[in-house]
Amino acid sequence: MTTTVERFETALEDLEVPVRRTTPAAFDETLGRVANEPVVGTPLPFEGVSLPAWVDDEPTPGALESATTGVTAASLGVADYGSVVLPSTPEGSEPVSLFPERHVAVLRERDLVADMPTAIERLGPELRDGGSAVIATGPSATADMGALVKGAHGPKEVRVVLITDAEDADGGEP
Amino acid sequence: MSTDTRERKAERIRHLLETEGEAVEENTLGFNEGRYESVADLEEYEALKDRAREIKEDAIERLPELIEQLRETVEENGGTLYLADDAADANRYIREVAGENDADRVVKSKSMTSEELEVNEALEADGVDVVETDLGEWVLQVADEAPSHIVAPAIHKSEAEIAELFNEQFDPDEPLETAEELTMFARERLGELIADADVGMTGANFITADSGSIMLVTSEGNARKTAVVPDTHVAVAGVEKVVPSVEDLAPFIELIGRSGTGQDITSYVSLLTPPVDSPVVDFDDPDLEFADRDDDREFHLVLIDNGRMAMREDEHLRETLYCIRCSACANTCANFQSVGGHAFGGETYSGGIATGWEAGVHGQDSAAEFNDLCTGCSRCVEACPVKIDIPWINTVVRDRINREDGGQFDFLVEGLTPDEEPGGVDLQKRLFGNYETLAKLGSATAPVSNWTTKLGPVRTLMEKTVGVDRRRPLPAFERTTLVDWFEDRGPRVSAADADREVVLYPDVYTNYIDVERGKAAVRVLEALSVHVRIPSAPGSGRAPLSQGMIDTADEKASRVYASLAEHIDAGRDVVVIEPSDLAMFRSEYEKFLPESSYERLREGSYEILEYVYGLLENGADADRLRTGDGERAPDIAYHSHCQQRTLELDRYTRAVLEDLEYDVLESDVECCGMAGSFGYKEQYYELSMDVGDRLADQFTTPETSDRLVVASGTSCEDQLEDLLAREAVHPVEVLDPRSRHH
Ligand code: SF4
């Protein structure tokens, strides 16, 4: 049987979104491989994981304009679709995940769910609590100019960094 | 409709076929194919559609209560809900919001509802610069054109046309050429316009009453920018967009992209609970950290009634409110695939369901413009994620249009048209609606009637008076009807020797025109040890129904049932050759007959090849039919019938032919384009042929050009013969032990 992680990875492959699995310890190094400088990001709400010093973590409109990569946290991943759920935050996760050419979504493996109904069930209380989020699947795209083009108003490229649960550094289904 | 009106209509369609047809065709076929592939991957497709339908039914039922709940949640969240009676009311409110914010520029993401309001014009009149940020909408704004599709508004424009437009309008340093260049140019330019905007206006695909959230389904990311960059967000949406809770969104998220453009999911599904926590993006203050901002965001949800509450009370139009505007009914529609929304659309909306929307929000006149383009082929019904009976809405509105104006009263035609309709019905509609009477008369006076209708002056007259296109060959009537023939001949398998008993329904076409396929059906059934009867029975009502003559169809339904009821009671199976008539029994009769009568007929009736399939499965001897391995047995190019496919019956024909060792290639177009009377009508003849060309192309390839052309529907047979100048036969004629077709 394919695991949720494998399904998620396959879906991302179909979307041409590279995904890297890493441990909290190796996070900085992994991020370094998928982020092109200059990098701007919003705080990651994950224990034991934080943005490295070379990421501008106090985003401003100016930083948005000059950054090549934006790094934000995903609260959920949806295996069936290869989607990541990106919550809006006062620190600007929405614009940081939207303006730069490349978006890197950081997701904990434990936050992966199998399907859309489960994701929406988890989102229900958040939205009722006033929260907002975007379910993002692959890069921004348009076919309005006569052929499919990536990067219409949003990122041209998306990368996913999947953080394995600490005690399960080798990956696999816990 | 006068000759002039018909000619103008034909002219307009011809123009669109020439100028926009190619781009529209390529795009809609792509979307439609994508839909088939994408929904095939969805395990619970049918269950999801049922769930989606249930949610919408419930939401519309409880709408007033949900709106009040939503008002409370939105206000609690810190926003405002304004319920606008109509477009003018909505526009007034939106202009006020813009005025209070001293807005110089409003940026918009794509919203059909805002097109319905014509809010751009209203704001522009106040001197506000309104910018569409969806790339397709922006192209149209630059070109000053209307959308041709509800989801992909600029599909009628090719890459080259857009490049020409941009190069002319913007005179860039380097001329733009590719889609990539055009997109990057637009992104940059629109990015600057968004950065300076004072108000962002979006639509909403769904609004949840429990949380006050709006869901936006997009791919480009412009709606995300529109909603969060400026500090004021106005969302406009029809009242029907409200659903009870966040959890209700799940099936729609899975269905909407797949059904529309054939994407499993679009890039972005935004779930915004405004006013949002995201910081305002103020590029004039480039160094102020987002986290340090103290924004006071404004949010206005403008819900529009504009006729919807009245639609809710209208037993037939109500279903329209379940529509999630996915566009499947446009993409799957053969006529739409040829002409797009500039012909198949009203003031705002386009595609199959547009009739319901236009009749509801702009009035019947707007719907009347294009309502005829729905031929009732029913291919959209299975495509619709909320299971709306779109052809029925088209028929009801057609019926209402028929009744609306006095129209001509022609006493000659009145004699020929013993229908249940008022005098106002358009002459052309009336003629085709009473096809049965004509066929009777034509048959009784054959062959003279056939000679007459071949005469040039007669065709000219027919074109002038009733708009029967003179380029279209007319079917020839048989003097001896199927019923007469069978009465003389009698059954060859007695009831005592038979395994089963069948009443073969003598549909109008088989009875008066293609008597041969009726005879073939009798021989095939008898070869399989079936006792056959052919009672005299009236037409099914398909012909009047397709002209919007509902009362006449209703009356026919009762008479058909009366003529078959006794047979059904006696345990005989009703077998039907013409799929469009069987579709009446199985679908539309639900609206005309008492429930138990409808159920009995539905359960007791079969399409002829479906029935043969059942006989063979139950041990009937296939060798008594003509098989595909025999000498001179033909290879087959098969075109199923649109309504037959919707009933999922095409597979039986295919299975029988293949089981009997025929080599079969099947077309995959949605409809042949003839659709009963449609292809005969002067104003639609060219469109009908254009639609037919897609089918003709499939049957003139090296693999198919030598094959015997086989089609299940009458119209399809005629259309294929006209298009290919090859003989076309019904599948039962292939199986006929006496068949000579090769
Ligand atoms: S009627 Fe159904 S298929 Fe057509 S746009 Fe609406 S939801 Fe989609």
Side-chain angles (χ1 to χ4, degrees), chain B residues 150 259 320 322-330 352-353 357 380 383-388 390:
Chain B
I150 58 172
S259 302
T320 309
Y322 306 158
C323 170
I324 62 168
R325 310 233 177 114
C326 72
S327 81
C329 57
I353 194 61
W357 281 121
C380 53
C384 175
V386 281
K387 305 181 107 171
I388 299 176
I390 299 156

Side-chain angles (χ1 to χ4, degrees), chain B residues 364-586:
Chain B
Q364 224 146 267
D365 287 352
S366 177
E369 286 294 310
F370 62 95
N371 167 270
D372 277 357
L373 289 177
C374 170
T375 63
C377 82
S378 79
R379 296 301 302 140
C380 53
V381 176
E382 66 178 40
C384 175
V386 281
K387 305 181 107 171
I388 299 176
D389 190 346
I390 299 156
W392 179 253
I393 293 175
N394 277 285
T395 306
V396 168
V397 172
R398 193 167 305 160
D399 184 270
R400 290 177 184 177
I401 293 166
N402 285 345
R403 284 160 199 281
E404 203 170 48
D405 38 35
Q408 321 118 291
F409 182 86
D410 188 295
F411 125 98
L412 177 84
V413 172
E414 200 68 8
L416 276 177
T417 53
D419 55 41
E420 304 292 312
E421 308 302 316
V425 180
D426 176 76
L427 207 55
Q428 186 188 50
K429 289 207 164 83
R430 211 143 185 201
L431 177 89
F432 285 114
N434 286 282
Y435 190 66
E436 186 180 354
T437 314
L438 279 184
K440 253 184 217 158
L441 193 73
S443 162
T445 56
V448 178
S449 52
N450 298 327
W451 300 335
T452 325
T453 52
K454 282 209 174 73
L455 296 175
V458 173
R459 292 307 303 263
T460 309
L461 187 71
M462 284 176 77
E463 188 170 287
K464 281 227 162 76
T465 51
V466 283
V468 175
D469 199 286
R470 71 182 96 178
R471 289 164 288 185
R472 179 70 77 180
L474 293 177
F477 300 108
E478 292 285 344
R479 182 84 188 214
T480 308
T481 66
L482 179 69
V483 172
D484 294 343
W485 170 81
F486 191 76
E487 218 172 82
D488 284 350
R489 169 190 180 270
R492 297 277 159 89
V493 175
S494 72
D497 295 336
D499 297 333
R500 298 191 77 93
E501 287 189 49
V502 157
V503 263
L504 187 64
Y505 173 71
D507 65 84
V508 172
Y509 196 87
T510 309
N511 195 35
Y512 296 106
I513 295 157
D514 196 355
V515 178
E516 280 312 310
R517 70 177 190 175
K519 294 179 184 174
V522 171
R523 288 191 288 263
V524 164
L525 290 168
E526 289 183 341
L528 301 175
S529 301
V530 171
H531 174 67
V532 179
R533 296 167 186 246
I534 306 185
S536 174
S540 70
R542 170 63 68 194
L545 192 73
S546 70
Q547 309 304 319
M549 294 157 62
I550 293 179
D551 283 354
T552 308
D554 190 341
E555 199 261 346
K556 296 254 183 208
S558 303
R559 286 174 46 210
V560 166
Y561 188 71
S563 69
L564 297 176
E566 195 186 329
H567 295 288
I568 298 174
D569 288 341
R572 294 171 198 133
D573 303 317
V574 177
V575 171
V576 183
I577 300 172
E578 177 57 39
S580 61
D581 291 314
L582 182 74
M584 285 293 284
F585 295 1
R586 293 234 178 133

Side-chain angles (χ1 to χ4, degrees), chain B residues 486-690:
Chain B
F486 191 76
E487 218 172 82
D488 284 350
R489 169 190 180 270
R492 297 277 159 89
V493 175
S494 72
D497 295 336
D499 297 333
R500 298 191 77 93
E501 287 189 49
V502 157
V503 263
L504 187 64
Y505 173 71
D507 65 84
V508 172
Y509 196 87
T510 309
N511 195 35
Y512 296 106
I513 295 157
D514 196 355
V515 178
E516 280 312 310
R517 70 177 190 175
K519 294 179 184 174
V522 171
R523 288 191 288 263
V524 164
L525 290 168
E526 289 183 341
L528 301 175
S529 301
V530 171
H531 174 67
V532 179
R533 296 167 186 246
I534 306 185
S536 174
S540 70
R542 170 63 68 194
L545 192 73
S546 70
Q547 309 304 319
M549 294 157 62
I550 293 179
D551 283 354
T552 308
D554 190 341
E555 199 261 346
K556 296 254 183 208
S558 303
R559 286 174 46 210
V560 166
Y561 188 71
S563 69
L564 297 176
E566 195 186 329
H567 295 288
I568 298 174
D569 288 341
R572 294 171 198 133
D573 303 317
V574 177
V575 171
V576 183
I577 300 172
E578 177 57 39
S580 61
D581 291 314
L582 182 74
M584 285 293 284
F585 295 1
R586 293 234 178 133
S587 310
E588 282 87 354
Y589 275 19
E590 186 174 8
K591 304 204 160 68
F592 301 141
L593 297 178
E595 197 185 325
S596 58
S597 308
Y598 161 70
E599 286 297 337
R600 284 171 72 78
L601 182 56
R602 189 175 67 90
E603 276 162 24
S605 56
Y606 305 85
E607 191 263 343
I608 175 84
L609 269 283
E610 176 192 19
Y611 196 73
V612 169
Y613 176 85
L615 292 170
L616 295 176
E617 283 292 290
N618 285 296
D621 184 1
D623 288 338
R624 301 174 70 178
L625 301 178
R626 186 187 189 216
T627 54
D629 48 5
E631 215 182 304
R632 288 167 64 77
D635 287 344
I636 288 172
Y638 175 57
H639 173 66
S640 171
H641 178 274
C642 45
Q643 286 156 342
Q644 185 188 20
R645 283 178 66 198
T646 302
L647 295 173
E648 297 188 336
L649 295 172
D650 52 321
R651 53 192 165 153
Y652 296 113
T653 303
R654 214 193 152 97
V656 168
L657 290 171
E658 284 177 351
D659 285 352
L660 297 183
E661 313 276 341
Y662 288 94
D663 185 332
V664 184
L665 281 178
E666 191 173 343
S667 71
D668 65 4
V669 298
E670 297 292 1
C671 178
C672 71
M674 184 67 129
S677 62
F678 187 79
Y680 286 94
K681 291 181 175 173
E682 181 191 4
Q683 65 273 39
Y684 304 126
Y685 172 78
E686 281 158 65
L687 171 54
S688 160
M689 293 305 269
D690 188 79

